[in-house]
Structures are given as structure tokens and as C-alpha cells.
Amino acid sequence: MGNVTSNVAAKFAFFPPDPPTYDVCREGDGKLFFSGVTADKNMDVHLLDTKGGNKIVATFWRHPLARFTVLYSHGNAADLGQMQELFIELRAHLRVNIMSYDYSGYGASSGKPSEFNTYYDIEAVHNCLKREYGINQEDVILYGQSVGSGPTLHLAARLQRLRAVVLHSAILSGIRVLYPVKMTFWFDIFKGTNDDIVDWSHGKRLWELAKEKYDPLWVEGGGHCNLETYPEYIRHLRKFINAMEKLSVAKQTKQNLPPNPTMTETKHNKCLRFGKR
């Protein structure tokens, strides 16, 4: 019964572009390449196996001076082919690596989209970051947009030394996006707990629940899918990245100091929220 209701909920939550907006091909030497992306873009393509039995596409956009890597989970009506320009812009302005992926059933990824598949998907991508690039969780910033906030928070709950989390037009649950209900149904998807707020305040409530907060950005007049077009979006995100870099330097300095028995350890995970208003 659980599988049936999960499938019903998934039909309301996931809208992969049909047909996909890109192709992934393999060259003679076995290397994967992404249609429309030339070698000078400095982007690696991966085909990853998930615990759900699917093969998903992930792309790693490398910046030569990056201090952090952003693991980006995109919105529900997009695939990687539509996200290229944004990733190039974010990489340039923020000086970070960008690791992103298509959920099962999106783009050139196999399988069908579901809540649990998105969890398996992001776990496979994080494992790739560790295995292929040697990137530790202390240097990872999770970024979840819209339906991507579900897998983002799933992984964040499992990484105790994660650098930070960014939520962009986040959702408390799937059903609450469709209907102004104040209860969580047993067949809901990406369920939230201890909350009773809907609409744009989904993100506000999630930010309020964060233990360690960073000043949020509520974009006046912004819609669900166009926050990136507002100048304050990049400015605020750059400010956030700079703050995380300062925390990282402060932590390294602290580690180099002589032991102090009275010094208490503090966590540096921060949560940033973007949302419309």
C-alpha cells in the first residue's frame, strides 16, 4: 500500500521535461560527454549507480580557485540541460565548484522519479564527490531548489560536519504545495514536521527550524522560478559564501592554536534561505 501511495504522491510532485533537453554520449576512449558542452567549459560528466538500482547523470563544474563545492539539487520541472548557464554563472561569481545531477527519471537518468529515489540519488552524488575528487563534507555546501530541498535536507541530516545548506524556494511537503492544508497526510511526499505554515512561508518556517541561521533573503516580487534573475540573489549568495570562507579560516586558525581545556567546540553549519514574497 505504501508503494501505491508513494507513486500517487510522486505524480503530483515531479514533472521532468519531456523530451530531455540534452544527451550524454561516450567517446572512443570511454569518457562521457554532455551534448552542447565543449571541453573548455571544464566540466566532468558521471554516470552513477544508485541504491535504487538506477543510473543517474551528474556533472562537476570545476573552478581552479574553489574553496567549496556546491552540491546543487535542482527544481522539479528542469533537467541539467536547462541549468548549464546558471551553473557557469554561479561558478564564476562565487568561485566554487558546482556538482549537480538529474534525479532518477529526469534527463538522461534512468528509472522513475520518487521521493526515495531522490534520496538514493543525492547519496550517490555525494559519494562521487568523496571518491573522485577527495572532497570532504566540511567543504560541501548543499543547495536545494524547490523539490530539491527534499533530498538536500535528507543528506544534510546525515552529514554532521557539513559546511552549510542553502534552501531556494523550498517546500515543507508535496501536498502543501497544492492545497492550503495544515496537517500532514499519511500519503504525503517530503513531509515536514512541527509546522503549520504554507505558501511562500514554507521556506520561512524551514529557516525558523534551523538551529544555526544566516540572514535570509526574501525577494520582493520574486516568483518560484525566477529568483536568479534578481541582482540581490547573486549579491546575497556571494556574501554568504564569503562568510563561510571566513568561518573556515577561523576554524583552521583555532585548530593550530595550543590546546585549551576551557575552549568549547562550536559548529559552523549555517542555513541560508531564498524565497519569494
Side-chain angles (χ1 to χ4, degrees):
M1 188 68 172
N3 288 337
V4 173
T5 54
S6 178
N7 290 337
V8 171
K11 290 182 180 179
F12 288 99
F14 300 105
F15 302 95
D18 187 18
T21 65
Y22 69 94
D23 292 311
V24 171
C25 302
R26 195 177 296 274
E27 296 178 331
D29 59 0
K31 184 177 181 180
L32 295 170
F33 68 94
F34 199 97
S35 60
V37 178
T38 55
D40 63 307
K41 293 296 191 296
N42 204 11
M43 186 264 276
D44 299 336
V45 184
H46 298 276
L47 194 61
L48 307 175
D49 294 313
T50 75
K51 288 193 295 186
N54 299 319
K55 290 185 179 294
I56 63 168
V57 177
T59 57
F60 184 77
W61 300 79
R62 191 191 311 269
H63 191 289
L65 302 178
R67 175 65 182 84
F68 298 125
T69 295
V70 173
L71 200 172
Y72 195 112
S73 299
H74 62 67
N76 68 343
D79 66 19
L80 291 177
Q82 298 167 314
M83 304 296 294
Q84 295 178 37
E85 292 185 7
L86 175 63
F87 293 156
I88 291 173
E89 182 179 358
L90 291 178
R91 179 177 64 175
H93 285 285
L94 305 179
R95 294 196 306 177
V96 296
N97 302 317
I98 305 287
M99 182 67 152
S100 192
Y101 62 103
D102 263 337
Y103 311 119
S104 297
Y106 276 68
S109 296
S110 69
K112 295 182 178 180
S114 72
E115 175 185 358
F116 285 102
N117 272 341
T118 65
Y119 299 158
Y120 300 145
D121 298 341
I122 197 171
E123 289 172 0
V125 175
H126 178 249
N127 289 337
C128 177
L129 280 179
K130 293 187 296 181
R131 181 181 65 251
E132 300 295 331
Y133 301 100
I135 295 175
N136 299 318
Q137 60 176 284
E138 293 90 344
D139 297 323
V140 173
I141 296 174
L142 299 184
Y143 190 117
Q145 179 181 7
S146 184
V147 74
S149 57
T152 291
L153 293 176
H154 164 81
L155 186 61
R158 287 156 176 74
L159 300 180
Q160 298 302 311
R161 300 187 306 279
L162 183 70
R163 174 55 54 191
V165 176
V166 178
L167 298 179
H168 176 161
S169 298
I171 61 174
L172 285 168
S173 73
I175 294 298
R176 294 176 201 215
V177 174
L178 299 174
Y179 304 105
V181 296
K182 293 188 177 181
M183 66 180 69
T184 297
F185 290 95
W186 62 278
F187 57 86
D188 201 354
I189 189 168
F190 296 132
K191 295 179 283 290
T193 59
N194 302 322
D195 59 74
D196 59 356
I197 304 176
V198 294
D199 195 48
W200 68 274
S201 52
H202 283 228
K204 180 174 182 293
R205 182 57 176 157
L206 287 169
W207 179 79
E208 290 170 349
L209 292 171
K211 293 182 179 180
E212 297 186 61
K213 302 175 176 63
Y214 187 86
D215 292 341
L217 174 65
W218 311 115
V219 180
E220 192 70 33
H224 187 68
C225 300
N226 68 349
L227 298 185
E228 303 93 331
T229 65
Y230 287 77
E232 56 264 44
Y233 166 82
I234 284 291
R235 287 200 300 265
H236 199 73
L237 195 52
R238 185 189 298 118
K239 180 181 177 183
F240 176 70
I241 296 294
N242 290 341
M244 294 304 99
E245 289 178 342
K246 291 179 180 178
L247 281 174
S248 179
V249 171
K251 183 176 181 179
Q252 291 176 355
T253 301
K254 176 182 174 181
Q255 290 174 341
N256 293 332
L257 292 175
N260 184 347
T262 64
M263 186 179 295
T264 57
E265 182 68 22
T266 59
K267 295 183 178 180
H268 295 316
N269 291 0
K270 297 291 181 180
C271 183
L272 170 64
R273 269 286 304 124
F274 289 105
K276 64 179 180 179
R277 193 166 191 173

Coordinates of all heavy atoms in Angstrom, one line a residue, residues 138-213:
E138 N 33.2 18.9 5.1 CA 33.4 20.2 5.6 C 33.5 21.3 4.5 O 33.4 22.5 4.8 CB 34.7 20.2 6.5 CG 34.6 19.4 7.7 CD 35.0 18.0 7.5 OE1 35.1 17.5 6.3 OE2 35.3 17.3 8.5
D139 N 33.8 20.8 3.3 CA 33.9 21.8 2.2 C 32.8 21.7 1.2 O 32.9 22.2 0.1 CB 35.2 21.5 1.4 CG 36.5 21.7 2.3 OD1 36.5 22.6 3.1 OD2 37.4 20.9 2.2
V140 N 31.7 21.1 1.7 CA 30.5 21.0 0.8 C 29.3 21.9 1.3 O 29.1 21.9 2.5 CB 30.0 19.5 0.8 CG1 28.6 19.4 0.1 CG2 31.0 18.6 0.1
I141 N 28.7 22.6 0.4 CA 27.5 23.4 0.7 C 26.4 22.8 -0.1 O 26.5 22.7 -1.4 CB 27.7 24.9 0.3 CG1 28.8 25.5 1.1 CG2 26.4 25.6 0.4 CD1 29.2 26.9 0.7
L142 N 25.4 22.3 0.5 CA 24.2 21.7 -0.1 C 23.3 22.8 -0.5 O 23.0 23.7 0.2 CB 23.5 20.7 0.8 CG 24.3 19.5 1.3 CD1 23.4 18.6 2.1 CD2 24.9 18.8 0.1
Y143 N 22.8 22.7 -1.8 CA 21.9 23.7 -2.3 C 20.6 23.0 -2.9 O 20.7 22.2 -3.8 CB 22.6 24.5 -3.4 CG 21.8 25.7 -4.0 CD1 22.4 27.0 -3.8 CD2 20.6 25.6 -4.6 CE1 21.8 28.1 -4.3 CE2 19.9 26.8 -5.0 CZ 20.5 28.0 -4.9 OH 19.9 29.1 -5.4
G144 N 19.5 23.3 -2.3 CA 18.2 22.7 -2.7 C 17.2 23.7 -3.2 O 16.8 24.6 -2.5
Q145 N 16.8 23.5 -4.5 CA 15.8 24.4 -5.0 C 14.5 23.6 -5.2 O 14.4 22.6 -5.8 CB 16.2 24.9 -6.4 CG 15.2 25.8 -7.1 CD 15.6 26.3 -8.4 OE1 16.7 25.9 -8.9 NE2 14.9 27.2 -9.0
S146 N 13.4 24.2 -4.7 CA 12.0 23.7 -4.8 C 12.0 22.2 -4.3 O 12.4 21.9 -3.2 CB 11.6 23.8 -6.3 OG 10.3 23.4 -6.5
V147 N 11.6 21.3 -5.2 CA 11.6 19.9 -4.8 C 13.0 19.4 -4.4 O 13.1 18.4 -3.6 CB 11.0 19.0 -6.0 CG1 12.0 18.8 -7.1 CG2 10.5 17.7 -5.5
G148 N 14.0 20.0 -4.9 CA 15.4 19.6 -4.5 C 15.7 19.9 -3.0 O 16.7 19.4 -2.5
S149 N 14.8 20.6 -2.3 CA 15.0 20.8 -0.9 C 14.8 19.5 -0.1 O 15.4 19.3 1.0 CB 14.1 21.9 -0.3 OG 12.7 21.6 -0.6
G150 N 14.0 18.6 -0.7 CA 13.8 17.3 0.0 C 15.1 16.5 0.1 O 15.5 16.2 1.2
P151 N 15.7 16.1 -1.0 CA 17.0 15.4 -0.9 C 18.1 16.2 -0.2 O 18.9 15.6 0.5 CB 17.3 15.0 -2.3 CG 16.5 16.0 -3.2 CD 15.3 16.2 -2.4
T152 N 18.1 17.5 -0.4 CA 19.1 18.3 0.3 C 19.0 18.1 1.8 O 20.0 17.9 2.5 CB 18.9 19.8 -0.1 OG1 19.2 19.9 -1.5 CG2 19.8 20.7 0.7
L153 N 17.8 18.3 2.4 CA 17.7 18.1 3.8 C 17.9 16.7 4.3 O 18.3 16.5 5.4 CB 16.3 18.7 4.2 CG 16.2 20.2 4.1 CD1 14.8 20.6 4.4 CD2 17.2 21.0 4.9
H154 N 17.5 15.7 3.4 CA 17.8 14.3 3.8 C 19.3 14.1 4.0 O 19.7 13.5 5.0 CB 17.3 13.5 2.6 CG 17.8 12.1 2.7 ND1 17.3 11.1 3.5 CD2 18.9 11.5 2.0 CE1 18.0 10.0 3.3 NE2 18.9 10.2 2.4
L155 N 20.1 14.6 3.0 CA 21.5 14.4 3.2 C 22.1 15.3 4.3 O 23.0 14.8 5.0 CB 22.2 14.8 1.8 CG 23.7 14.5 1.8 CD1 24.0 13.0 2.0 CD2 24.3 14.9 0.4
A156 N 21.6 16.5 4.4 CA 22.1 17.4 5.5 C 22.0 16.7 6.9 O 22.8 16.9 7.8 CB 21.4 18.7 5.4
A157 N 20.9 16.0 7.1 CA 20.6 15.4 8.4 C 21.6 14.3 8.7 O 21.7 13.9 9.8 CB 19.2 14.8 8.4
R158 N 22.3 13.8 7.7 CA 23.3 12.7 7.8 C 24.7 13.1 7.8 O 25.6 12.3 8.0 CB 23.0 11.7 6.7 CG 21.7 10.9 7.0 CD 21.1 10.3 5.7 NE 19.9 9.5 6.0 CZ 18.8 10.0 6.4 NH1 18.6 11.3 6.5 NH2 17.7 9.2 6.7
L159 N 25.0 14.4 7.5 CA 26.3 14.9 7.5 C 26.5 15.9 8.6 O 26.2 17.1 8.5 CB 26.6 15.6 6.1 CG 26.5 14.7 4.9 CD1 26.8 15.4 3.6 CD2 27.3 13.4 5.0
Q160 N 27.2 15.5 9.7 CA 27.3 16.3 10.9 C 28.3 17.4 10.8 O 28.3 18.4 11.5 CB 27.6 15.4 12.1 CG 26.6 14.3 12.4 CD 25.2 15.0 12.7 OE1 25.1 15.9 13.5 NE2 24.2 14.5 12.0
R161 N 29.2 17.3 9.8 CA 30.3 18.3 9.7 C 30.1 19.1 8.4 O 31.1 19.7 7.9 CB 31.7 17.6 9.7 CG 32.0 16.9 11.0 CD 33.4 16.4 11.1 NE 33.8 15.6 9.9 CZ 33.5 14.3 9.8 NH1 32.8 13.7 10.8 NH2 33.8 13.6 8.7
L162 N 29.0 19.0 7.8 CA 28.7 19.8 6.6 C 28.9 21.3 6.8 O 28.6 21.8 7.8 CB 27.2 19.5 6.2 CG 26.7 20.1 4.9 CD1 27.3 19.4 3.7 CD2 25.2 20.0 4.9
R163 N 29.4 21.9 5.7 CA 29.7 23.3 5.8 C 28.5 24.2 5.9 O 28.4 25.0 6.8 CB 30.6 23.8 4.6 CG 30.8 25.3 4.5 CD 31.5 25.8 5.8 NE 32.7 25.1 6.2 CZ 33.3 25.2 7.3 NH1 32.8 26.0 8.3 NH2 34.4 24.5 7.6
A164 N 27.5 24.0 5.0 CA 26.3 24.8 5.1 C 25.2 24.3 4.2 O 25.4 23.4 3.4 CB 26.7 26.3 4.6
V165 N 24.0 24.9 4.3 CA 22.9 24.5 3.5 C 22.2 25.7 2.9 O 22.0 26.7 3.7 CB 21.8 23.7 4.3 CG1 20.6 23.4 3.5 CG2 22.4 22.4 4.8
V166 N 21.9 25.7 1.7 CA 21.1 26.8 1.0 C 19.8 26.2 0.6 O 19.7 25.2 -0.2 CB 21.8 27.4 -0.2 CG1 21.0 28.5 -0.8 CG2 23.2 28.0 0.3
L167 N 18.7 26.9 1.0 CA 17.3 26.4 0.5 C 16.7 27.5 -0.4 O 16.6 28.7 0.1 CB 16.4 26.2 1.7 CG 16.9 25.0 2.6 CD1 15.9 24.8 3.8 CD2 17.0 23.7 1.9
H168 N 16.3 27.2 -1.5 CA 15.8 28.1 -2.6 C 14.4 27.7 -2.9 O 14.2 26.7 -3.5 CB 16.8 28.0 -3.8 CG 16.4 28.8 -5.0 ND1 17.3 29.2 -5.9 CD2 15.2 29.4 -5.4 CE1 16.7 29.9 -6.9 NE2 15.4 30.0 -6.6
S169 N 13.4 28.6 -2.6 CA 12.0 28.3 -2.8 C 11.7 26.9 -2.3 O 11.1 26.1 -3.0 CB 11.7 28.4 -4.3 OG 11.9 29.7 -4.8
A170 N 12.0 26.6 -1.1 CA 11.9 25.3 -0.5 C 10.5 25.0 -0.2 O 9.6 25.8 -0.1 CB 12.8 25.2 0.7
I171 N 10.2 23.6 0.0 CA 8.9 23.2 0.3 C 8.9 22.4 1.6 O 9.9 21.7 1.9 CB 8.3 22.3 -0.8 CG1 9.2 21.0 -1.0 CG2 8.1 23.1 -2.1 CD1 8.6 20.0 -2.0
L172 N 7.8 22.5 2.4 CA 7.7 21.7 3.6 C 7.2 20.3 3.2 O 7.6 19.3 3.9 CB 6.6 22.4 4.5 CG 7.1 23.6 5.3 CD1 6.0 24.3 5.9 CD2 8.2 23.2 6.3
S173 N 6.3 20.2 2.3 CA 5.8 18.9 1.8 C 5.2 19.1 0.5 O 4.9 20.2 0.0 CB 4.8 18.3 2.8 OG 3.6 19.0 2.7
G174 N 4.9 17.9 -0.2 CA 4.4 18.0 -1.5 C 2.9 18.4 -1.5 O 2.5 19.3 -2.3
I175 N 2.1 17.8 -0.7 CA 0.7 18.2 -0.7 C 0.4 19.6 -0.3 O -0.5 20.3 -0.9 CB -0.1 17.3 0.4 CG1 0.0 15.8 -0.1 CG2 -1.5 17.7 0.5 CD1 -0.7 15.5 -1.4
R176 N 1.2 20.2 0.5 CA 1.0 21.6 0.9 C 1.3 22.6 -0.2 O 0.9 23.7 -0.1 CB 1.9 21.9 2.1 CG 1.4 21.1 3.4 CD 2.4 21.4 4.5 NE 2.2 20.3 5.5 CZ 2.3 20.5 6.8 NH1 2.5 21.7 7.3 NH2 2.2 19.4 7.6
V177 N 2.1 22.1 -1.2 CA 2.3 23.0 -2.4 C 1.0 23.1 -3.2 O 0.7 24.2 -3.7 CB 3.4 22.4 -3.3 CG1 3.5 23.2 -4.6 CG2 4.7 22.4 -2.5
L178 N 0.2 22.1 -3.2 CA -1.1 22.0 -4.0 C -2.3 22.6 -3.2 O -3.1 23.3 -3.8 CB -1.4 20.6 -4.4 CG -0.3 19.9 -5.3 CD1 -0.7 18.5 -5.5 CD2 -0.2 20.6 -6.6
Y179 N -2.3 22.3 -1.9 CA -3.5 22.7 -1.1 C -3.1 23.4 0.2 O -2.1 23.0 0.8 CB -4.4 21.5 -0.8 CG -4.8 20.7 -2.0 CD1 -4.1 19.5 -2.3 CD2 -5.7 21.1 -2.9 CE1 -4.5 18.7 -3.5 CE2 -6.1 20.4 -4.0 CZ -5.5 19.2 -4.3 OH -5.8 18.5 -5.4
P180 N -3.9 24.4 0.6 CA -3.5 25.1 1.9 C -4.0 24.3 3.1 O -4.8 24.7 3.9 CB -4.3 26.4 1.7 CG -5.5 26.0 0.9 CD -5.1 24.9 0.0
V181 N -3.4 23.1 3.3 CA -3.7 22.3 4.5 C -2.7 22.5 5.6 O -1.6 22.9 5.4 CB -3.7 20.8 4.1 CG1 -4.8 20.5 3.1 CG2 -2.4 20.4 3.6
K182 N -3.2 22.3 6.8 CA -2.3 22.5 8.0 C -1.9 21.1 8.6 O -1.3 21.1 9.7 CB -3.0 23.4 9.0 CG -3.2 24.8 8.5 CD -3.7 25.7 9.6 CE -3.8 27.1 9.1 NZ -4.3 28.1 10.1
M183 N -2.3 20.0 8.0 CA -1.9 18.7 8.6 C -1.1 18.0 7.6 O -1.1 18.3 6.4 CB -3.2 17.9 8.9 CG -4.0 17.5 7.8 SD -5.5 16.5 8.2 CE -6.4 17.7 9.1
T184 N -0.4 17.0 8.0 CA 0.5 16.2 7.2 C -0.3 14.9 6.9 O -0.5 14.1 7.9 CB 1.8 15.9 7.8 OG1 2.5 17.2 8.0 CG2 2.7 15.0 6.9
F185 N -0.6 14.6 5.7 CA -1.3 13.3 5.3 C -0.3 12.1 5.3 O 0.9 12.3 5.0 CB -2.0 13.5 4.0 CG -3.1 14.4 4.0 CD1 -3.0 15.7 3.6 CD2 -4.4 14.0 4.4 CE1 -4.0 16.6 3.6 CE2 -5.4 14.9 4.4 CZ -5.3 16.2 4.0
W186 N -0.8 10.9 5.5 CA 0.0 9.8 5.6 C 0.6 9.4 4.2 O 1.5 8.7 4.1 CB -0.8 8.6 6.2 CG -2.0 8.2 5.4 CD1 -3.2 8.7 5.4 CD2 -2.1 7.1 4.4 NE1 -4.1 8.1 4.5 CE2 -3.4 7.1 3.9 CE3 -1.1 6.2 3.9 CZ2 -3.8 6.2 3.0 CZ3 -1.6 5.2 3.0 CH2 -2.9 5.2 2.5
F187 N 0.0 9.9 3.1 CA 0.5 9.6 1.8 C 1.2 10.8 1.2 O 1.5 10.9 0.0 CB -0.7 9.3 0.8 CG -1.8 10.3 0.7 CD1 -1.6 11.4 -0.2 CD2 -2.9 10.3 1.5 CE1 -2.6 12.4 -0.3 CE2 -3.9 11.2 1.4 CZ -3.7 12.3 0.5
D188 N 1.6 11.8 2.0 CA 2.3 13.0 1.6 C 3.7 12.6 1.1 O 4.2 11.5 1.4 CB 2.3 14.0 2.7 CG 2.5 15.4 2.2 OD1 2.8 15.6 1.0 OD2 2.5 16.3 3.0
I189 N 4.4 13.6 0.5 CA 5.7 13.4 0.0 C 6.6 14.6 0.5 O 6.1 15.7 0.5 CB 5.8 13.3 -1.6 CG1 7.2 12.9 -2.1 CG2 5.3 14.6 -2.2 CD1 7.2 12.5 -3.5
F190 N 7.8 14.3 0.9 CA 8.7 15.3 1.5 C 7.9 16.0 2.7 O 7.8 17.2 2.7 CB 9.1 16.4 0.5 CG 10.0 15.8 -0.6 CD1 9.7 16.1 -1.9 CD2 11.0 15.0 -0.3 CE1 10.5 15.6 -2.9 CE2 11.8 14.5 -1.3 CZ 11.6 14.8 -2.6
K191 N 7.5 15.2 3.6 CA 6.7 15.7 4.7 C 7.5 16.6 5.6 O 8.6 16.2 5.9 CB 6.0 14.5 5.5 CG 5.1 13.7 4.7 CD 4.5 12.6 5.5 CE 5.5 11.5 5.6 NZ 5.7 10.8 4.3
G192 N 6.9 17.6 6.2 CA 7.5 18.4 7.2 C 6.9 18.1 8.5 O 5.8 17.6 8.6
T193 N 7.6 18.4 9.6 CA 7.0 18.1 11.0 C 7.1 19.4 11.8 O 7.9 20.3 11.5 CB 7.8 17.0 11.7 OG1 9.2 17.4 11.8 CG2 7.7 15.7 10.9
N194 N 6.2 19.5 12.8 CA 6.2 20.7 13.7 C 6.0 22.0 12.9 O 6.7 23.0 13.2 CB 7.5 20.7 14.5 CG 7.7 19.5 15.3 OD1 6.7 18.9 15.9 ND2 8.9 19.0 15.4
D195 N 5.1 22.0 11.9 CA 4.9 23.2 11.2 C 3.5 23.3 10.8 O 2.8 22.3 10.6 CB 5.8 23.3 9.9 CG 5.6 22.1 9.0 OD1 4.5 22.1 8.3 OD2 6.4 21.2 9.0
D196 N 3.0 24.5 10.6 CA 1.6 24.7 10.1 C 1.5 25.9 9.2 O 0.4 26.5 9.1 CB 0.6 24.9 11.3 CG 1.0 26.1 12.2 OD1 2.0 26.7 11.9 OD2 0.3 26.3 13.1
I197 N 2.5 26.2 8.4 CA 2.6 27.4 7.5 C 2.7 26.9 6.1 O 3.5 26.0 5.8 CB 3.7 28.3 7.9 CG1 3.6 28.7 9.4 CG2 3.7 29.6 7.0 CD1 4.7 29.6 9.9
V198 N 2.1 27.6 5.2 CA 2.1 27.2 3.8 C 2.5 28.3 2.9 O 2.9 29.4 3.4 CB 0.7 26.6 3.3 CG1 0.4 25.3 4.1 CG2 -0.4 27.6 3.5
D199 N 2.4 28.2 1.6 CA 2.7 29.2 0.6 C 4.2 29.6 0.7 O 5.0 28.8 0.9 CB 1.8 30.4 0.8 CG 1.8 31.4 -0.4 OD1 1.6 30.9 -1.5 OD2 1.9 32.6 -0.2
W200 N 4.5 30.9 0.5 CA 5.9 31.3 0.5 C 6.6 31.1 1.8 O 7.8 31.0 1.9 CB 6.1 32.8 0.0 CG 5.6 33.8 1.0 CD1 4.3 34.3 1.1 CD2 6.3 34.4 2.0 NE1 4.2 35.2 2.1 CE2 5.5 35.3 2.7 CE3 7.7 34.4 2.4 CZ2 5.9 36.1 3.8 CZ3 8.1 35.2 3.5 CH2 7.2 36.0 4.1
S201 N 5.8 31.0 2.8 CA 6.3 30.8 4.2 C 6.8 29.4 4.4 O 7.2 29.1 5.5 CB 5.3 31.3 5.2 OG 4.1 30.7 5.0
H202 N 6.7 28.5 3.4 CA 7.3 27.2 3.6 C 8.8 27.4 4.0 O 9.3 26.8 4.9 CB 7.3 26.4 2.2 CG 6.0 25.8 1.9 ND1 5.8 24.5 1.5 CD2 4.7 26.3 1.9 CE1 4.6 24.2 1.3 NE2 3.9 25.3 1.5
G203 N 9.5 28.2 3.2 CA 10.9 28.5 3.4 C 11.1 29.2 4.7 O 12.1 28.9 5.4
K204 N 10.2 30.1 5.0 CA 10.4 30.9 6.3 C 10.3 29.9 7.5 O 11.1 30.1 8.4 CB 9.3 31.9 6.4 CG 9.3 32.8 7.7 CD 8.3 33.9 7.6 CE 8.3 34.8 8.8 NZ 8.0 34.0 10.1
R205 N 9.4 29.0 7.4 CA 9.3 28.0 8.5 C 10.5 27.1 8.6 O 11.0 26.9 9.7 CB 8.0 27.2 8.3 CG 7.8 26.2 9.5 CD 7.7 26.9 10.8 NE 7.4 25.9 11.9 CZ 7.7 26.1 13.2 NH1 8.4 27.2 13.5 NH2 7.3 25.2 14.1
L206 N 11.0 26.7 7.5 CA 12.2 25.8 7.5 C 13.4 26.6 8.0 O 14.2 26.1 8.8 CB 12.5 25.4 6.0 CG 11.6 24.3 5.5 CD1 11.8 24.1 4.0 CD2 11.8 23.0 6.2
W207 N 13.5 27.9 7.7 CA 14.6 28.7 8.2 C 14.4 28.9 9.7 O 15.4 28.8 10.5 CB 14.6 30.1 7.5 CG 15.6 31.0 8.0 CD1 16.9 31.0 7.7 CD2 15.4 32.1 8.9 NE1 17.6 32.0 8.4 CE2 16.7 32.7 9.1 CE3 14.3 32.6 9.6 CZ2 16.9 33.8 10.0 CZ3 14.5 33.7 10.5 CH2 15.8 34.3 10.6
E208 N 13.2 29.0 10.2 CA 13.0 29.2 11.6 C 13.4 27.9 12.4 O 13.8 28.0 13.5 CB 11.5 29.5 11.9 CG 11.1 30.9 11.4 CD 9.6 31.1 11.5 OE1 8.8 30.1 11.7 OE2 9.1 32.2 11.4
L209 N 13.2 26.7 11.7 CA 13.5 25.5 12.4 C 15.0 25.2 12.4 O 15.5 24.3 13.1 CB 12.8 24.3 11.7 CG 11.3 24.3 11.8 CD1 10.7 23.3 10.9 CD2 10.9 24.0 13.2
A210 N 15.8 25.9 11.6 CA 17.3 25.7 11.6 C 17.9 26.1 12.9 O 17.6 27.2 13.5 CB 17.9 26.5 10.4
K211 N 18.8 25.3 13.4 CA 19.5 25.6 14.6 C 20.5 26.7 14.5 O 20.7 27.6 15.4 CB 20.2 24.4 15.2 CG 19.2 23.3 15.6 CD 20.0 22.1 16.1 CE 19.0 21.0 16.6 NZ 19.7 19.8 17.1
E212 N 21.2 26.8 13.4 CA 22.2 27.9 13.1 C 21.8 28.6 11.9 O 21.8 28.0 10.8 CB 23.6 27.3 13.0 CG 24.0 26.6 14.3 CD 25.5 26.2 14.2 OE1 26.3 27.1 14.0 OE2 25.7 25.0 14.3
K213 N 21.4 29.8 12.0 CA 20.8 30.6 10.9 C 21.8 31.6 10.3 O 22.7 32.1 11.0 CB 19.6 31.3 11.4 CG 18.5 30.4 11.9 CD 17.3 31.2 12.5 CE 16.2 30.3 13.0 NZ 16.7 29.5 14.1

